[in-house]
Amino acid sequence: MPFGNTHNNFKLNYKVEDEYPDLSKHNNHMAKVLTKEMYGKIRDRQTPSGYTVDDVIQTGIDNPGHPFIMTVGCVAGDEESYEVFKELLDPVISDRHNGYKPTDKHKTDLNFENLKGGDDLDPNYVLSSRVRTGRSIKGFTLPPHNSRGERRAIEKLSVEALTSLDGEFKGKYYPLKSMTDAEQEQLINDHFLFDKPVSPLLTCAGMARDWPDGRGIMHNDNKTFLVWVNEEDHLRVISMQQGGNMREVFKRFCVGLQKIEEIFKKHNHGFMWNEHLGYILTCPSNLGTGLRGGVHVKLPKLSTHAKFDEILTRLRLQKRGTGGVDTASVGGVFDISNADRLGSSEVAQVQLVVDGVKLMVEMEKKLEKGEAIDSMIPAQK
Amino acid sequence: MSDNIENIELLGTIGIFVSTPDSNSPQIRQQGSAMPFGNTHNKAKMNYDSDQEYPDLSKHNNHMAKILTPAMYERLRSKETPSGFTLDDIIQTGIDNPGHPFIMTVGCVAGDEETYEVFKELLDPVIEDRHGGYKPSDKHKTDIDPANLKGGDDLDPDYVLSSRVRTGRSVRGFCLPPHCSRGERRAVEKLSIEALASLTGDLNGKYYALKNMTDAEQQQLIDDHFLFDKPVSPLLLASGMGRDWPDARGIWHNDNKTFLVWVNEEDHLRVISMQKGGNMKEVFNRFCTGLTKIETLFKERNHAFMWNEHLGYVLTCPSNLGTGLRAGVHVKLPNMSKNAKFEDVLKKLRLQKRGTGGVDTAAVGGVFDISNADRLGFSEVELVQMVVDGVKLLVDMEKKLEKGQSIDDIMPAQK
């Protein structure tokens, strides 16, 4: 769990080749992009808050590769990281986000009425539906780098904003440090709470410092709308429910998110956003919409089919285990979600999930009956 | 004594702003020839007052948490050592590890030799608390003459399964493992390889870089208790010692596997002498001889070990200051360990128990790792003597309990 150690003043006494990390066994976006020459060029820079390239890349050095997912291997410490280290981050972004160029513009669309269908995914297969995104609050550094004072200020602001919500969003804030072990365990089992930081992807980037100080969860009384405070991003906003009515989940998501955004703006703390990168988040993989819309779906047959991964690629979908980003699937139940974040809007991404999951459930049903699915294989979206 | 200790109090930021053509892009601070580059790593934190930044230590039980008051935090938070190590760097491990079930942890680490001077206000009381009341004015005695050890060659091998002595050494001129850069770490490795390659006789050996070791070799060395773990202990990880693993880490050992040196784990060097059975005298002989040779080789290369007359050998963890020495045995004490007086006996003998997997593991099958509790304020010879005498007594007690006899009449006085 390195963090403050990357600010060693003596490292510039050593030549570039002595300081350049050994990435020979690595398989992540950072390792593919960061040449020795590039490292030499940017190693003496820092953002106004003091974030350095070694801070950006430490997680990628310490986590050479992941069995289930191609990791990014770098994180931002503040809004300016994306500018100060653009030599590194632009190619990483391009690599990760399908060739997205430094000159491209990103489109935001949180109008739920633009979604077609999505209210009829078969609940015998689709066990639950969920949409999440992240938001960063302007004026504070990000979780890999922020100080305790900043983190607490973010929490305070969030609590004020969130506890003023009403109607279906009315709820309560639970700071992690006051939660009982039992409450915490229940919330984890309900898939509501974020994990204690054990994932090395997070701990190596310094996001677990001072745990659980300044962290917490707000949820509405129905437990269908949740906000995580100070995990991997300042805020994670989540809408979820059992069953396959993604339309309802997305509507609640959009309405709730826009209410929250208004309140933060009123407090003079807008969200980090720009017209090139959309919403600015800690991990470059979450830029743009920061949106992951997904379902837990039973696909025991389809998942063992030779073409499963290809179908997912064509549908622009991604699979995970049901425990989250770096877990394995259990009992043929998969977490299926959109693969893209940047370069397409929220509505477009949820549409891909809705249409794609509908198709995969139909394929599963065919395979159950012993029928072939070759004619149903989709074109590349 | 380190010749460039300075108190650096930086009240503002230092750096050279490069103006950029586009007024919308943020200023990029570029490093000129001046050092250091900034007062604290996260510059924004100085915008918050001390109360807002002071950590929540309410559930904590370690030496740092007992000592670091809000007022002290306020006085120290803007300081840094010449290499840029700050108070928050020192204490992060103690914040992230509130307390340990088996051992009272220190909760702070040094990033360089100067840490102990720049942050003495915190570290002197931690040292005092940890090392039996050791005062800032006290002097530490070094004695690595094995002839001064009495006995130690006859611990009963039916009970004492193995004997081991280890210490650490820091190489002057480099930052310590929580803070060193890759370039520094690699330089320490290079220097170590050169020095160790010149050892001869029964100290003739070979260096194995961790990054080239096969998984099988590595597992064998771990099982033999020769190799250091991949960093999973949160005590080490939270202070940044796991960064860039396994780059520039390795182990050197002699052909007999009785003398080993770890490079770049929790300290620059860990030097270990060990063997099966209970002949601690032989282990300590080899330890002293080997260590003295290594020290000479490093001095010849103009990189002495960090040492001063107050703190003795300077190491990463304040708990290892002084001798840095942990001498111990793996010993079977299934009866003794269940006895109500076990803890008290250990305390009186100035000994400490651990599981056989290392500092934060549990005992397995009644076999304990028993070692000296002290590091600072006693010499190497004195500490090993305590282990030798103490373990001999514990084994006698175990034998008595086996026979159903009482141990009350052989209870020791406080050493």
Side-chain angles (χ1 to χ4, degrees):
Chain A
M1 280 182 271
F3 21 84
N5 329 100
T6 42
H7 59 297
N8 179 326
N9 294 338
F10 293 163
K11 58 185 159 176
L12 294 186
N13 294 336
Y14 293 81
K15 299 196 286 257
V16 176
E17 44 267 31
D18 292 330
E19 286 294 340
Y20 179 69
D22 179 350
L23 301 172
S24 55
K25 298 196 174 83
H26 288 61
N27 180 41
N28 55 51
H29 288 293
M30 180 277 290
K32 287 168 69 181
V33 169
L34 185 70
T35 60
K36 194 176 6 158
E37 291 65 40
M38 187 189 285
Y39 181 76
K41 191 164 175 223
I42 61 183
R43 71 175 182 132
D44 61 355
R45 291 187 195 166
Q46 47 180 292
T47 65
S49 78
Y51 207 62
T52 67
V53 70
D54 286 323
D55 290 317
V56 173
I57 66 178
Q58 192 68 55
T59 182
I61 299 171
D62 292 341
N63 294 287
H66 196 275
F68 300 136
I69 195 164
M70 172 75 158
T71 44
V72 175
C74 48
V75 289
D78 49 25
E79 192 165 7
E80 295 84 352
S81 294
Y82 287 103
E83 193 55 43
V84 173
F85 301 107
K86 59 192 339 310
E87 271 102 330
L88 168 63
L89 295 174
D90 278 351
V92 167
I93 287 167
S94 182
D95 212 21
R96 175 60 172 210
H97 295 285
N98 310 306
Y100 196 76
K101 294 189 290 298
T103 47
D104 286 336
K105 301 275 176 271
H106 172 79
K107 181 182 169 197
T108 294
D109 180 1
L110 285 160
N111 186 346
F112 64 90
E113 281 167 3
N114 291 340
L115 183 71
K116 301 187 194 45
D119 53 356
D120 61 348
L121 299 172
D122 186 341
N124 291 319
Y125 292 83
V126 180
L127 306 177
S128 60
S129 306
R130 179 180 182 269
V131 180
R132 68 85 160 152
T133 191
R135 291 292 185 260
S136 306
I137 302 169
K138 256 181 130 60
F140 299 103
T141 64
L142 298 174
H145 192 46
N146 60 18
S147 73
R148 283 179 294 276
E150 289 188 290
R151 202 185 294 113
R152 290 163 179 171
I154 291 162
E155 185 190 31
K156 185 160 186 283
L157 209 61
S158 303
V159 171
E160 281 174 30
L162 297 170
T163 52
S164 69
L165 294 174
D166 60 6
E168 66 166 321
F169 300 103
K170 185 170 186 311
K172 191 177 159 194
Y173 180 74
Y174 301 86
L176 241 59
K177 65 160 91 170
S178 318
M179 225 183 266
T180 64
D181 284 345
E183 282 175 322
Q184 198 165 331
E185 199 59 37
Q186 182 63 43
L187 287 165
I188 289 174
N189 291 339
D190 288 343
H191 301 282
F192 289 163
L193 187 62
F194 40 108
D195 293 338
K196 292 176 201 181
V198 293
S199 165
L201 296 175
L202 295 185
T203 55
C204 289
M207 295 190 233
R209 289 170 301 130
D210 314 312
W211 202 274
D213 195 319
R215 276 85 166 191
I217 166 178
M218 169 271 175
H219 65 77
N220 64 354
D221 297 333
N222 297 338
K223 286 190 180 176
T224 54
F225 190 79
L226 306 97
V227 180
W228 296 350
V229 178
N230 284 320
E231 191 232 14
E232 182 181 333
D233 287 293
H234 291 161
L235 301 174
R236 284 285 177 99
V237 177
I238 301 147
S239 169
M240 62 197 288
Q241 65 194 48
Q242 303 292 323
N245 194 344
M246 181 61 93
R247 190 178 184 76
E248 196 171 83
V249 169
F250 187 56
K251 178 178 175 183
R252 187 184 310 113
F253 174 82
C254 294
V255 171
L257 196 54
Q258 283 166 326
K259 279 185 200 287
I260 292 170
E261 190 146 14
E262 272 166 41
I263 300 172
F264 270 89
K265 276 188 186 153
K266 277 197 203 129
H267 283 78
N268 292 318
H269 277 283
F271 293 147
M272 292 182 196
W273 182 93
N274 68 52
E275 61 174 4
H276 168 50
L277 295 178
Y279 289 102
I280 302 285
L281 295 177
T282 302
C283 182
S285 70
N286 283 323
L287 292 165
T289 60
L291 185 142
R292 196 169 89 85
V295 298
H296 283 184
V297 56
K298 286 197 253 193
L299 298 172
K301 295 201 155 11
L302 184 58
S303 61
T304 53
H305 191 285
K307 291 202 157 62
F308 183 47
D309 284 338
E310 197 193 323
I311 290 165
L312 287 171
T313 301
R314 289 184 183 205
L315 293 174
R316 311 196 71 83
L317 300 177
Q318 185 190 65
K319 68 178 197 274
R320 299 181 182 194
T322 51
V325 70
D326 47 345
T327 62
S329 95
V330 174
V333 181
F334 284 81
D335 178 317
I336 303 289
S337 62
N338 52 299
D340 303 313
R341 304 272 184 273
L342 178 63
S344 53
S345 73
E346 288 82 355
V347 166
Q349 288 167 8
V350 176
Q351 193 69 64
L352 285 168
V353 175
V354 158
D355 297 345
V357 169
K358 193 161 191 173
L359 179 64
M360 287 197 292
V361 169
E362 284 166 22
M363 287 177 162
E364 180 72 19
K365 288 172 173 174
K366 283 220 155 188
L367 291 171
E368 275 172 22
K369 294 192 214 125
E371 293 169 16
I373 54 165
D374 297 338
S375 57
M376 299 167 74
I377 308 260
Q380 177 64 56
K381 287 198 173 294
Chain B
M1 196 69 180
S2 171
D3 52 10
N4 65 339
I5 292 172
E6 298 165 67
N7 263 344
I8 301 237
E9 265 182 311
L10 294 167
L11 301 172
T13 54
I14 296 174
I16 301 161
F17 282 97
V18 176
S19 60
T20 51
D22 177 359
S23 62
N24 288 330
S25 32
Q27 292 170 311
I28 299 171
R29 184 197 311 277
Q30 290 205 315
Q31 183 53 35
S33 55
M35 275 219 284
F37 353 128
N39 56 349
T40 50
H41 186 218
N42 177 331
K43 296 175 176 50
K45 63 178 148 177
M46 297 310 287
N47 295 333
Y48 293 81
D49 61 36
S50 188
D51 289 336
Q52 290 170 311
E53 289 292 342
Y54 180 72
D56 180 351
L57 301 172
S58 55
K59 298 194 174 83
H60 288 61
N61 180 40
N62 56 54
H63 288 292
M64 179 277 292
K66 287 167 70 183
I67 282 157
L68 183 69
T69 60
M72 186 188 285
Y73 183 81
E74 179 156 26
R75 286 190 293 273
L76 299 178
R77 73 176 185 128
S78 59
K79 294 190 190 212
E80 56 179 82
T81 66
S83 78
F85 206 62
T86 65
L87 176 65
D88 287 325
D89 291 320
I90 293 174
I91 65 177
Q92 192 67 55
T93 183
I95 299 171
D96 292 341
N97 294 286
H100 194 273
F102 301 137
I103 193 164
M104 173 76 158
T105 45
V106 175
C108 45
V109 290
D112 51 26
E113 194 165 7
E114 294 82 355
T115 301
Y116 288 102
E117 192 55 41
V118 174
F119 297 99
K120 62 196 330 311
E121 196 183 334
L122 167 65
L123 294 173
D124 276 351
V126 167
I127 289 167
E128 187 162 346
D129 210 22
R130 176 59 173 212
H131 294 284
Y134 195 77
K135 293 189 293 299
S137 51
D138 284 338
K139 301 276 177 269
H140 172 80
K141 179 184 169 198
T142 294
D143 179 3
I144 329 182
D145 183 351
N148 293 338
L149 183 71
K150 300 185 195 39
D153 54 354
D154 62 347
L155 298 174
D156 187 340
D158 288 338
Y159 292 82
V160 179
L161 307 178
S162 59
S163 305
R164 180 181 182 267
V165 180
R166 67 85 161 151
T167 190
R169 292 291 185 262
S170 305
V171 183
R172 190 160 275 163
F174 301 102
C175 294
L176 299 174
H179 191 48
C180 63
S181 73
R182 283 179 292 276
E184 289 188 292
R185 201 186 294 114
R186 290 164 179 171
V188 169
E189 186 192 32
K190 186 162 185 279
L191 210 60
S192 303
I193 290 173
E194 283 173 27
L196 296 167
S198 64
L199 292 174
T200 59
D202 65 47
L203 294 178
N204 188 60
K206 194 179 159 190
Y207 181 76
Y208 300 86
L210 239 59
K211 66 160 88 169
N212 299 334
M213 225 183 267
T214 65
D215 286 345
E217 282 175 321
Q218 196 165 331
Q219 194 55 53
Q220 182 62 44
L221 287 165
I222 289 172
D223 292 341
D224 288 342
H225 301 281
F226 290 162
L227 187 63
F228 41 109
D229 293 338
K230 294 173 199 183
V232 293
S233 164
L235 296 173
L236 295 187
L237 294 177
S239 55
M241 296 190 233
R243 287 170 303 132
D244 313 313
W245 202 274
D247 195 321
R249 274 81 165 191
I251 165 178
W252 176 96
H253 66 75
N254 66 350
D255 299 330
N256 297 337
K257 285 191 179 177
T258 53
F259 193 77
L260 306 98
V261 178
W262 294 352
V263 178
N264 286 319
E265 191 232 13
E266 182 183 334
D267 287 292
H268 289 160
L269 302 174
R270 284 286 178 97
V271 177
I272 302 147
S273 169
M274 62 198 289
Q275 67 194 47
K276 299 275 191 224
N279 194 342
M280 182 60 93
K281 191 171 187 62
E282 194 169 86
V283 170
F284 189 56
N285 271 354
R286 187 186 310 114
F287 174 82
C288 294
T289 308
L291 196 55
T292 306
K293 286 198 160 81
I294 291 171
E295 190 146 15
T296 307
L297 293 164
F298 270 85
K299 275 190 185 150
E300 278 169 12
R301 285 159 177 78
N302 292 319
H303 278 280
F305 292 146
M306 293 182 195
W307 182 94
N308 65 58
E309 58 172 11
H310 166 51
L311 295 178
Y313 288 102
V314 177
L315 294 178
T316 302
C317 182
S319 70
N320 282 323
L321 292 166
T323 60
L325 185 142
R326 194 170 91 84
V329 299
H330 283 185
V331 57
K332 286 196 253 192
L333 298 172
N335 291 296
M336 186 59 204
S337 59
K338 295 203 199 75
N339 187 285
K341 294 198 157 69
F342 185 45
E343 302 283 345
D344 189 47
V345 170
L346 287 174
K347 211 163 176 191
K348 293 201 152 75
L349 295 174
R350 308 195 73 87
L351 298 178
Q352 184 190 68
K353 73 179 196 284
R354 298 183 183 192
T356 52
V359 70
D360 47 344
T361 62
V364 175
V367 181
F368 285 80
D369 178 315
I370 303 289
S371 61
N372 52 297
D374 302 302
R375 303 273 185 274
L376 176 65
F378 297 90
S379 74
E380 288 81 355
V381 166
E382 285 170 336
L383 295 177
V384 178
Q385 193 70 65
M386 281 187 231
V387 174
V388 158
D389 298 344
V391 169
K392 196 159 194 177
L393 179 63
L394 285 168
V395 170
D396 287 342
M397 286 176 160
E398 179 69 22
K399 288 171 173 174
K400 285 210 154 195
L401 291 173
E402 274 173 22
K403 293 191 212 128
Q405 293 169 5
S406 156
I407 53 169
D408 294 341
D409 55 331
I410 52 172
M411 290 292 289
Q414 179 66 54
K415 288 197 173 293

